[in-house]
Amino acid sequence: MNKNLIVLLLFITTIGSAQYGYRDSNMIGITLGLNQFNLKTSDFETKPGDGWNIGLSMRGNAFNDWDAIYGLQFSEYNFKVMTLNQSMNERETNLKLSCANITFQLSYKFIENHLSVEFGPMVQINGKLAIEETDEDNILQNTEEIYPVKNLTDISNFTVYPVVGLTAGVRNVRLNVTYQYGLNNMLSKTEGGFKGNASVLNGNVIFYF
């Protein structure tokens, strides 16, 4: 066989294998990002706060133009509630929540490795809300009864979110924006009959390997 033909066949085979590997979307992703969290409630006034995300995920081929994503993310959420301090002055009291989020999402690829939309469930596991010691005796503003903000800290330890998002970029580095809304009442364990649902907007960078 002609030597040049052998070289050509090897070149074509190499290109074909590279292209197959390029289309293969089985990758591990490391996520770094920021979030904006708020507790949606009509029982007292809240304001959103900023936090951070860090996580690990696996993106794999599912079928046709669909990928499946399995992920574990650790987040710190912050939000503020309007309170009155001991001098009866208005004060925005910050509440902090550390949590772990487990997610499974389906991803539809509009453009292979460049543009996709994701949706699926996320389960959040968390402890109590944290509050600065100097703010523990502040009371909630605009409530029918005197209610110390520290009584809000014992919240539900389990929250289920539907998540929708958009991912864009190149094969190994992508920007990801998602929104998630908590289905269950996070304040179900607190006294006072309060109801509140979590609302989270995330902006992340994902590094794929």
Side-chain angles (χ1 to χ4, degrees):
M1 185 179 290
N2 187 290
K3 188 175 182 180
N4 291 332
L5 182 58
I6 294 175
V7 173
L8 179 61
L9 288 173
L10 288 173
F11 178 75
I12 293 173
T13 302
T14 303
I15 293 297
S17 298
Q19 289 300 315
Y20 178 81
Y22 183 77
R23 288 182 58 82
D24 187 0
S25 60
N26 293 290
M27 297 180 291
I28 294 174
I30 296 176
T31 299
L32 299 171
L34 302 174
N35 63 64
Q36 186 178 80
F37 178 95
N38 199 11
L39 184 66
K40 300 290 188 179
T41 178
S42 59
D43 295 313
F44 47 87
E45 186 178 352
T46 66
K47 291 185 177 181
D50 299 327
W52 52 263
N53 304 314
I54 184 170
L56 189 68
S57 64
M58 174 69 75
R59 175 185 283 267
N61 293 317
F63 54 92
N64 296 332
D65 294 324
W66 293 87
D67 282 350
I69 302 172
Y70 306 87
L72 174 63
Q73 178 176 287
F74 296 96
S75 298
E76 180 182 277
Y77 297 145
N78 290 276
F79 71 101
K80 297 176 174 60
V81 295
M82 298 304 298
T83 62
L84 299 173
N85 62 19
Q86 294 180 339
S87 300
M88 300 307 288
N89 294 319
E90 291 187 357
R91 178 174 174 82
E92 293 182 355
T93 298
N94 189 73
L95 293 169
K96 181 183 299 184
L97 179 65
S98 299
C99 61
N101 298 304
I102 303 169
T103 184
F104 169 75
Q105 297 180 41
L106 289 176
S107 174
Y108 181 78
K109 297 174 286 187
F110 291 105
I111 304 174
E112 181 84 20
N113 296 311
H114 297 296
L115 181 63
S116 61
V117 61
E118 288 81 32
F119 59 90
M122 174 180 282
V123 176
Q124 174 182 300
I125 302 170
N126 58 265
K128 295 183 178 182
L129 290 170
I131 184 175
E132 293 289 339
E133 186 176 350
T134 54
D135 291 329
E136 287 184 348
D137 292 325
N138 294 350
I139 61 174
L140 292 179
Q141 192 174 2
N142 299 325
T143 55
E144 294 182 0
E145 299 180 0
I146 296 176
Y147 196 94
V149 69
K150 63 183 178 183
N151 290 357
L152 286 179
T153 57
D154 189 14
I155 61 172
S156 173
N157 302 120
F158 182 86
T159 305
V160 177
Y161 299 90
V163 181
V164 294
L166 184 70
T167 301
V170 296
R171 176 172 172 80
N172 296 110
V173 182
R174 306 183 199 179
L175 298 177
N176 169 254
V177 177
T178 63
Y179 177 74
Q180 57 198 65
Y181 185 82
L183 296 180
N184 52 298
N185 177 19
M186 288 193 71
L187 302 177
S188 60
K189 295 175 65 175
T190 61
E191 300 177 359
F194 295 142
K195 294 182 180 180
N197 298 82
S199 173
V200 190
L201 180 65
N202 299 284
N204 297 316
V205 179
I206 307 175
F207 300 93
Y208 281 113
F209 301 92

